């Protein structure tokens, strides 16, 4: 047995130094030099204060902001989580109904409007930074009204949504989406103009 | 309905997987046989230094028992280190969140989980483990548990390729070469791309920010990218963050999503080719690859169809519960199929919230023993169980002694293959039954009805298959689950590895008989069909009843709009 234990222990320690110490530290140093913004979390500042990360979704309840998707953890990832409700879970059936009714009421949409499904279901991470472009467009009228925009500014807001719509990455990967935090920052800016 | 853009992405994925297989497989065969490659000048010194520092003679060959003891000693010590790091983490450095020591049962579960290449997460990374444990414990095991899988496959391949010898290679050499020339270089490249796309890599403590609307939010940070790269490549799957690759700082863009998905199957697929090169039967390897790909594509088709079916409970087709906007439905389904085919187990969507038949596909993929590409190395040596059974059955049908690549397959090999097949199945079914009739087992459920049964069944399938994905609603951090799941992982890993090494040792001793007219060829379409049939019959007989009780019943109840 001794013939195996000693080389095993020594090799494990060597591998620990290579892959557990040198590798992650070297990668950290390289990342902080070459991609400092991303490596530190892609943080967004407003007036010099960090207000979040562009990759981490935030909760928006105020009528003047575009709302994010439902979240099982209320957008505070300690720890991150989805609902893990199964396809026949009564809680999910009830939530979908309630969320649909709420979205229609909040945005003053005609009864029976089909609400985009990203607004009906909670995300996996609980901090999904995106919503679908359709879900954003449907909120434009409400936001314009609450912010006291005239018709011209409402149409600029609509254009803003289009400008912030990200298509498939490299024209191939993923679904169209809008980053809610970035869009809301732009909406604030539009109002101050 | 599935969109054209989604179909293009799926096809692109399959094509890239296919295109990378031969060159990568060839390169790895060269590396493992000790030939010079373009990597030798860059990483050769690291290989030599590893041997020197560990006092290892790389030229010394091992017989199968020596090889096994070396592997067990190395893994046992790996377990001990990860366990100790966790139960003392509060006294150790690099713990900016000042996380407390991990409880014994959770530490046991996590240490077993990473040592066996399962990476089941009973813990939630961001609130349980310090950066030091993530690096020294988990990242290291991500590398070496993957390398262990490759090593065992290499030993098996040599057992087949060599004749009248007891030597099947040197475990230390196989482990070092896999790590230094394959896993480490790929991980370095991948880390750079991940960080460029937005994955975090730093040693800062979590940052609390006041959001635009004025609420408090914690932004999780840490040395994530370096760990995520190897987690995807080494069929590990244990996330840096609790929500794994659904979490935006772990998988920020559709492009990282594609690369992470490709990494899940990349090495496992290429290693089938490597196997073919070493045993000098490339056509046979392609037949095996074809069977794997067919099962992958079939599972994907069923899962997509089921996911896009209207769920009468919510009235929505292609529901987005537990899915991220940037990935959408098809990429979430593709990931779920790939990660359960390989023993990866990382997730970019919540399997618990997917449609019942998607869950069924995930579970079948795992229960067949992680042989659809499977874990790195582990997929190929797992598939060997079914190859030997197929050869044996085919031999019985034509009335000759079965042969496989010139080696006679006799009762010893078939016995060992049967043990390797039965042990994990036994673990899955027995432990599921125990959990279903005990209060401690039922206490962990998040869903009721057949979906609750599926949560338990999935957990034991995933741990026996060393997969690590979950129907995550199950609370698996209790002493009951942490212990049983941990034991199940050990059965699923070593209950297969040890019989496979025994087979390697036995085959190495045999002569190579040249093929005759009575030899059943293993490089034909017919063999592929027989192999597929064997897999499906064995798999179906073992697991059909439980599949019916869980996802299949749930599917029909869902179609009737039944809720629980």
């Amino acid at each position: 047995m001794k013939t195996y234990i000693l080389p095993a222990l020594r090799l494990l320690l060597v591998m620990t130094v290579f892959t557990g110490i040198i590798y992650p530290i070297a990668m950290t140093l390289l990342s902080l030099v070459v991609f400092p913004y991303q490596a530190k979390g892609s943080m967004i500042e407003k007036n010099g204060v960090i207000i979040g990360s562009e990759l981490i979704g935030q909760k928006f309840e105020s009528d003047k902001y575009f709302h994010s998707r439902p979240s099982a953890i209320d957008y505070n990832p300690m720890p991150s989580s989805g609902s893990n409700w199964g396809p026949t879970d009564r809680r999910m059936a009830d939530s979908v109904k309630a969320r649909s009714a709420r979205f229609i009421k909040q945005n003053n949409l005609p009864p029976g409007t089909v609400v985009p499904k990203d607004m009906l279901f909670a995300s996996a991470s609980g901090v999904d930074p995106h919503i679908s472009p359709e879900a954003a467009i449907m909120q434009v009228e409400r936001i314009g009204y609450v912010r006291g925009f005239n018709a011209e500014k409402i149409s600029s807001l609509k254009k803003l949504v289009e400008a912030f719509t990200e298509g498939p990455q490299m024209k191939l990967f993923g679904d169209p989406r809008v980053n809610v935090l970035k869009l809301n920052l732009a909406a604030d800016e539009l109002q101050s103009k | 309905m599935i969109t054209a853009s989604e179909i293009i992405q799926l096809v692109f994925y399959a094509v890239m997987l296919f295109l990378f297989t031969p060159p990568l497989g060839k390169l790895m065969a060269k590396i493992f046989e000790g030939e010079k490659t373009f990597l030798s000048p860059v990483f050769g010194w690291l290989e030599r230094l590893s041997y020197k520092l560990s006092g290892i003679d790389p030229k010394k060959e091992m017989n199968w028992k020596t090889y096994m003891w070396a592997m067990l000693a190395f893994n046992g010590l790996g377990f001990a280190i990860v366990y100790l790091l966790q139960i003392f983490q509060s006294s150790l450095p690099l713990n900016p969140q000042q996380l407390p020591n991990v409880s014994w049962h959770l530490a046991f579960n996590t240490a077993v989980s990473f040592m066996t290449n399962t990476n089941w997460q009973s813990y939630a990374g961001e609130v349980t483990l310090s950066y030091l444990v993530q690096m020294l414990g988990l990242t290291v095991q991500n590398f070496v548990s993957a390398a262990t899988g490759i090593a065992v496959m290499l030993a098996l391949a040599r057992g087949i390729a060599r004749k009248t010898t007891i030597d099947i290679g040197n475990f230390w050499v196989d482990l070092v070469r896999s790590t230094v020339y394959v896993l480490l270089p790929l991980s370095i490249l991948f880390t750079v791309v991940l960080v460029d796309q937005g994955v975090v890599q730093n040693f800062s403590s979590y940052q609390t920010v006041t959001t635009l609307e004025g609420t408090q939010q914690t932004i999780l940070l840490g040395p994530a990218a370096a760990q995520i790269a190897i987690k995807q490549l080494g069929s590990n799957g244990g996330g840096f963050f609790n929500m794994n690759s659904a979490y935006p700082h772990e998988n920020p863009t559709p492009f990282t999503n594609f690369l992470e998905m490709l990494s899940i199957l990349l090495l496992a697929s290429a290693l089938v080719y490597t196997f073919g090169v070493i045993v000098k039967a490339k056509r046979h390897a392609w037949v095996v690859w074809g069977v794997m790909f067919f099962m992958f594509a079939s599972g994907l088709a069923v899962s997509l169809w089921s996911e896009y079916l209207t769920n009468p409970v919510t009235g929505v087709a292609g529901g987005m519960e537990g899915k991220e906007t940037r990935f959408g439905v098809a990429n979430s389904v593709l990931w779920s199929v790939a990660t359960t085919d390989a023993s990866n187990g990382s997730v970019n969507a919540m399997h618990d919230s997917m449609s019942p038949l998607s869950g069924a596909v995930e579970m079948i993929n795992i229960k067949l023993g992680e042989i659809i590409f499977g874990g790195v190395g582990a997929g190929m040596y797992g598939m060997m169980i079914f190859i030997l059974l197929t050869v044996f059955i085919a031999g019985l049908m034509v009335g000759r002694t079965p042969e496989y690549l010139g080696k006679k397959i006799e009762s010893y090999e078939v016995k060992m293959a049967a043990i390797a097949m039965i042990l994990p199945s036994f673990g899955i079914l027995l432990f599921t039954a125990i959990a279903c009739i005990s209060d401690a087992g039922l206490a962990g459920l998040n869903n009721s009805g057949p979906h609750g049964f599926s949560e338990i069944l999935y957990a034991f399938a995933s741990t026996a298959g060393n997969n690590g994905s979950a129907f995550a609603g199950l609370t698996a951090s209790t002493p009951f689950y942490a212990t049983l799941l941990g034991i199940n992982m050990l059965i699923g890993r070593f209950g297969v590895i040890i019989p496979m090494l025994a087979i390697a040792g036995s085959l190495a001793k045999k002569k190579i008989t040249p093929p005759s007219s009575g030899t059943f060829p293993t490089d034909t379409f017919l063999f592929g069909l027989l192999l597929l049939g064997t897999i499906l019959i064995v798999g179906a007989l073992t697991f059909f009843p439980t599949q019916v009780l869980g996802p299949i019943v749930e599917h029909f109840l869902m179609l009737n709009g039944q809720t629980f």
Side-chain angles (χ1 to χ4, degrees), chain A residues 23 62 69 83 89 128 169, chain B residues 213 226 255 321 323 325 447:
Chain A
Y23 163 67
S62 155
R69 292 183 61 185
S83 70
D89 196 311
D128 191 340
Q169 197 178 6
Chain B
E213 213 176 55
F255 181 55
E321 186 73 24
K323 297 192 184 75
T325 313
N447 286 275

Side-chain angles (χ1 to χ4, degrees), chain B residues 230-523:
Chain B
I230 181 61
K231 152 207 149 197
Q232 294 304 116
L233 287 162
S235 59
N236 296 288
F240 192 87
F241 304 112
N242 190 37
M243 279 302 104
N244 213 294
S245 281
Y247 195 72
H249 270 149
E250 185 146 342
N251 187 8
T253 64
F255 181 55
T256 57
N257 187 64
F258 178 79
L259 292 179
E260 289 186 17
M261 274 195 300
L262 191 63
S263 317
I264 291 175
L265 295 183
L266 183 70
L267 287 177
S269 165
L271 279 163
V272 176
Y273 192 94
T274 306
F275 174 83
V277 174
I278 297 178
V279 301
K280 300 190 182 62
K282 267 190 245 173
R283 265 180 64 99
H284 167 62
W286 275 121
V287 169
V288 173
W289 193 92
V291 171
M292 290 174 168
F293 186 82
F294 177 78
M295 287 195 285
F296 159 74
S298 315
L300 182 62
V302 172
S303 189
L304 278 170
W305 170 79
S306 157
E307 205 59 33
Y308 272 110
L309 215 57
T310 301
N311 178 351
V313 171
T314 57
V316 177
M320 287 291 286
E321 186 73 24
K323 297 192 184 75
E324 297 283 295
T325 313
R326 62 195 180 283
F327 310 140
V329 175
N331 277 313
S332 302
V333 171
L334 173 58
W335 186 302
S336 78
V337 173
T339 196
T340 49
D341 280 341
S343 72
N344 188 289
S346 59
V347 294
N348 75 345
M350 293 298 97
H351 292 185
D352 216 348
S353 300
M354 285 187 166
S355 63
L357 293 188
S358 294
V361 169
E362 290 154 9
M363 280 192 262
I364 291 171
N365 286 344
I366 297 172
K367 284 169 173 174
L368 290 176
E370 301 297 10
I371 51 162
I372 311 175
F373 299 113
V376 291
M380 192 56 226
Y381 71 66
M383 188 55 123
M384 191 54 62
I385 298 171
F386 288 100
I387 293 174
L388 292 179
L389 287 179
T390 307
V391 168
F392 181 67
I393 294 168
L396 290 182
M397 286 196 287
V398 296
R400 303 235 181 181
T401 311
E403 282 166 26
Y404 176 58
L405 302 175
K407 294 289 174 81
K408 282 200 165 36
I409 302 302
E410 291 161 299
S411 76
Y412 182 78
E413 287 80 28
V414 177
K415 264 188 226 161
M416 286 297 150
I419 290 174
M421 198 187 65
I422 289 169
L423 274 180
S425 315
F426 180 75
I428 298 172
L429 297 175
L430 179 75
F431 289 140
T432 301
I434 292 176
C436 284
I437 53 168
S438 62
D439 294 337
L442 297 174
L445 290 180
N446 178 45
N447 286 275
S448 38
H451 199 78
F453 175 71
S454 294
E455 281 186 338
I456 296 176
L457 182 62
Y458 197 112
F460 288 105
S462 174
T463 43
N466 295 144
N467 183 280
S469 68
F471 273 12
L474 187 78
T475 304
S477 53
T478 57
F480 174 83
Y481 273 113
T483 318
L484 275 193
L485 291 168
I487 295 168
N488 205 29
M489 289 187 248
L490 291 171
I491 296 175
R493 179 75 165 177
F494 298 106
V496 177
I497 285 188
I498 294 173
M500 291 332 275
L501 285 177
I503 290 176
S506 161
L507 289 180
K509 273 190 269 177
K510 298 186 183 198
K511 292 190 298 242
I512 291 187
T513 19
S516 67
S517 59
T519 308
F520 186 76
T522 52
D523 56 359

Side-chain angles (χ1 to χ4, degrees), chain A residues 16-159:
Chain A
T16 302
V17 173
F18 288 163
T19 64
I21 298 175
I22 298 176
Y23 163 67
I25 290 180
M27 289 292 105
T28 308
L29 293 178
L30 182 75
S31 305
L32 289 174
V33 172
V34 184
F35 311 110
Y37 174 73
Q38 294 97 313
K40 288 180 195 159
S42 312
M43 300 298 198
I44 295 187
E45 286 183 14
K46 191 187 175 189
N47 308 326
V49 182
I50 292 176
I51 56 150
S53 162
E54 66 167 286
L55 292 172
I56 302 297
Q58 299 189 351
K59 186 168 117 177
F60 289 102
E61 287 199 309
S62 155
D63 278 341
K64 69 171 185 167
Y65 284 126
F66 289 91
H67 292 175
S68 303
R69 292 183 61 185
S71 161
I73 51 164
D74 217 14
Y75 284 92
N76 195 18
M78 288 298 280
S80 55
S81 185
S83 70
N84 285 310
W85 291 342
T88 53
D89 196 311
R90 190 170 291 133
R91 291 168 293 182
M92 186 162 81
D94 295 344
S95 300
V96 166
K97 258 188 225 117
R99 285 165 186 160
S100 172
R102 188 156 172 250
F103 190 83
I104 288 173
K105 188 166 168 250
Q106 276 174 337
N107 295 295
N108 206 16
L109 300 165
T113 306
V114 177
V115 177
K117 55 191 183 182
D118 49 310
M119 301 311 280
L120 300 179
F121 295 100
S123 62
S125 62
V127 290
D128 191 340
H130 299 109
I131 56 175
S132 64
E134 300 79 49
I137 289 287
M138 285 172 138
Q139 301 186 56
V140 164
E141 291 286 338
R142 176 198 85 219
I143 292 161
Y145 175 78
V146 172
R147 288 180 185 260
F149 286 180
N150 56 21
E152 190 197 338
K153 263 201 160 170
I154 287 183
S155 100
S156 321
L157 189 61
K158 219 170 243 168
K159 285 207 187 87

